[in-house]
Amino acid sequence: MVRVVVLGQGYVASIFASGLEKIKSGELGYYGVPLANELPVKVEDVEIVGSYDVDSNKVGRDLYEVLRLYDRNAPESLRGIVIRKGVHLGSLRNLPLKAVGLDDEMTLSEAVERLVSEWKELRPDVFVNVCTTEAFVPFESREELENAISEDKRDRLTATQLYVYAAAKYAKEVGGAAFVNAIPTLIANDSVYVELARESNLVVFGDDGATGATPLTADILSHLAQRNRYVLDVAQFNIGGNQDFLALTDKERNKSKEFTKSSIVEDLLGYNAPHYIKPTGFLEPLDDKKFIAMHIEYISFNGAHDEIVVTGRINDSPALAGLLVDLVRLGKMAVDRREFGTVYDVNAFYMKNPGPREAKNIPRIIAHEKVRMWAGLKPRWL
């Protein structure tokens, strides 16, 4: 059994929970789950045991009722899980939501202790972090991190950074857990957190789940690099209408997302071609089905100038939710193997900005084989 706690019960988490239960009941197949049912830990073994949010309209409500906001056919099997109060640390600023968090009622140290106490009751194996995209600053030392918490420096920490610290304390007490960081806040790329995880029996996967346009851009850039075509420029953007795109209208949050999306260019080409790769707008009628566009100009043999132009409409949240079905199972496998810290062979395929910090993006076809071999599966293409 893989017991999962969700941090941030928005669109992604709700589609993850709903789709997971439908697979288990036989209502859905495995499309959108890269490793399908090949892993030794089966989808049927995954159970959501807890959910946290800071939206006043969700905290205290039954998970099933909240899921129906996103999926009218939400599975009845998710009744009985009450959404608990998490921490926000200002993460909902400028959004049309009323934030309520443990940090409104107590110090940060007390909030950490409350979370650890609740998690010891829930006994999760894996935490899935799909909070709203944050504006963040990495930590330079463990001392700086611990002082920020003990001295209640709320303007120095994000919700994710506090959640990971609490997860590390929990993992150390119970003997092991995994934390899947599916948003851009640097955790697997922050050496302070990786070392903390390693010492605390915590596995960290991250950072920022690779869905939609970014992995497709990586595949195309890899294709051009392998054929020794010189890329002159790359333009890629996304416009969406869900809550995360609304959050990205905040300049600092957008900068966080832009950093993880842009990291692929130099990693894959070996040079930093001029590029514009970022989420660029919020258009409410698009809802969760975002518009993506890509233009790549390059030089081929004999100086020929060629271009690739791609447009598409992609359901944003299901694309990430399908990856989470794999990541929670891989997290449990990593804990059982005691591979604490971060695991590049997993991050390289599933994340836009794969940790650890010194790691690079690699062609996704190679990353796919690496994660299959790490999981003990037969390579598909090698």
Side-chain angles (χ1 to χ4, degrees):
M1 186 68 68
V2 185
R3 298 170 65 84
V4 176
V5 159
V6 173
L7 305 171
Q9 194 61 55
Y11 212 148
V12 174
S14 297
I15 296 300
F16 165 65
S18 184
L20 181 68
E21 292 301 303
K22 290 175 183 177
I23 291 175
K24 290 161 67 174
S25 69
E27 185 179 343
L28 287 181
Y30 298 98
Y31 292 120
V33 181
L35 297 181
N37 212 28
E38 297 182 79
L39 294 175
V41 180
K42 301 303 180 185
V43 176
E44 291 75 14
D45 297 330
V46 180
E47 179 184 0
I48 295 174
V49 297
S51 172
Y52 286 76
D53 206 279
V54 292
D55 180 348
S56 63
N57 290 319
K58 296 176 182 176
V59 172
R61 294 183 64 184
D62 189 274
L63 177 59
Y64 170 77
E65 296 299 328
V66 171
L67 293 192
R68 282 176 57 81
L69 299 173
Y70 304 98
D71 182 355
R72 298 304 298 174
N73 299 312
E76 294 274 350
S77 57
L78 289 168
R79 286 189 181 276
I81 300 173
V82 176
I83 296 176
R84 301 182 184 225
K85 189 180 295 183
V87 294
H88 61 83
L89 291 171
S91 62
L92 297 189
R93 70 178 186 279
N94 302 327
L95 296 179
L97 303 171
K98 180 183 177 182
V100 292
L102 296 175
D103 44 317
D104 296 323
E105 305 169 4
M106 57 189 74
T107 67
L108 298 185
S109 295
E110 290 169 338
V112 168
E113 294 305 318
R114 172 73 66 84
L115 290 169
V116 172
S117 175
E118 291 183 3
W119 294 342
K120 287 167 72 175
E121 169 196 334
L122 296 170
R123 301 292 293 185
D125 301 294
V126 182
F127 300 90
V128 173
N129 182 47
V130 278
C131 295
T132 300
T133 299
E134 306 163 328
F136 68 94
V137 177
F139 283 92
E140 297 297 324
S141 68
R142 175 85 67 84
E143 182 181 18
E144 182 191 11
L145 167 60
E146 293 178 343
N147 285 346
I149 295 170
S150 64
E151 297 174 13
D152 217 44
K153 296 180 179 178
R154 295 160 183 256
D155 59 346
R156 180 61 186 88
L157 285 149
T158 68
T160 296
Q161 290 170 328
L162 193 72
Y163 279 138
V164 181
Y165 183 80
K169 291 198 68 172
Y170 165 79
K172 191 166 188 176
E173 291 194 30
V174 302
F179 191 100
V180 177
N181 182 41
I183 74 168
T185 303
L186 297 188
I187 300 297
N189 281 277
D190 185 331
S191 57
V192 173
Y193 273 107
V194 172
E195 184 60 28
L196 173 65
R198 189 177 296 117
E199 294 176 2
S200 305
N201 302 327
L202 183 69
V203 175
V204 173
F205 292 155
D207 298 306
D208 200 8
T211 64
T214 301
L216 178 58
T217 303
D219 288 341
I220 293 174
L221 291 178
S222 299
H223 169 90
L224 296 174
Q226 289 161 2
R227 286 153 182 79
N228 196 26
R229 293 164 180 165
Y230 185 77
V231 174
L232 295 171
D233 52 77
V234 182
Q236 179 221 299
F237 63 89
N238 310 260
I239 300 173
N242 62 22
Q243 201 71 44
D244 199 43
F245 274 91
L246 178 58
L248 290 170
T249 58
D250 179 271
K251 182 179 178 181
E252 292 304 313
R253 290 195 188 100
N254 198 293
K255 187 183 299 182
S256 301
K257 194 76 170 179
E258 179 185 350
F259 176 80
T260 61
K261 290 171 74 69
S262 295
S263 63
I264 62 172
V265 176
E266 188 168 4
D267 285 355
L268 294 173
L269 295 179
Y271 53 93
N272 198 14
H275 59 274
Y276 179 97
I277 302 178
K278 62 177 69 178
T280 53
F282 171 75
L283 183 62
E284 189 172 8
L286 294 179
D287 196 29
D288 195 57
K289 197 169 185 180
K290 65 184 178 183
F291 169 74
I292 67 165
M294 183 193 315
H295 173 261
I296 301 175
E297 185 180 13
Y298 63 93
I299 298 175
S300 187
F301 186 69
N302 200 35
H305 281 235
D306 295 329
E307 300 173 60
I308 295 173
V309 179
V310 177
T311 61
R313 293 289 303 280
I314 296 174
N315 285 286
D316 197 29
S317 298
L320 178 53
L323 303 188
L324 297 178
V325 177
D326 274 354
L327 285 163
V328 296
R329 297 181 294 154
L330 293 167
K332 181 63 164 65
M333 291 172 63
V335 172
D336 289 346
R337 295 180 184 185
R338 304 192 66 79
E339 293 192 26
F340 303 125
T342 196
V343 182
Y344 175 70
D345 287 357
V346 174
N347 299 337
F349 180 71
Y350 290 96
M351 301 295 169
K352 291 186 181 77
N353 189 21
R357 184 168 59 183
E358 63 274 10
K360 300 290 185 182
N361 277 281
I362 57 176
R364 288 302 191 266
I365 189 170
I366 297 175
H368 184 247
E369 298 305 316
K370 286 179 75 69
V371 71
R372 289 184 65 86
M373 289 188 288
W374 181 88
L377 304 178
K378 182 180 178 181
R380 294 188 63 181
W381 311 112
L382 296 180

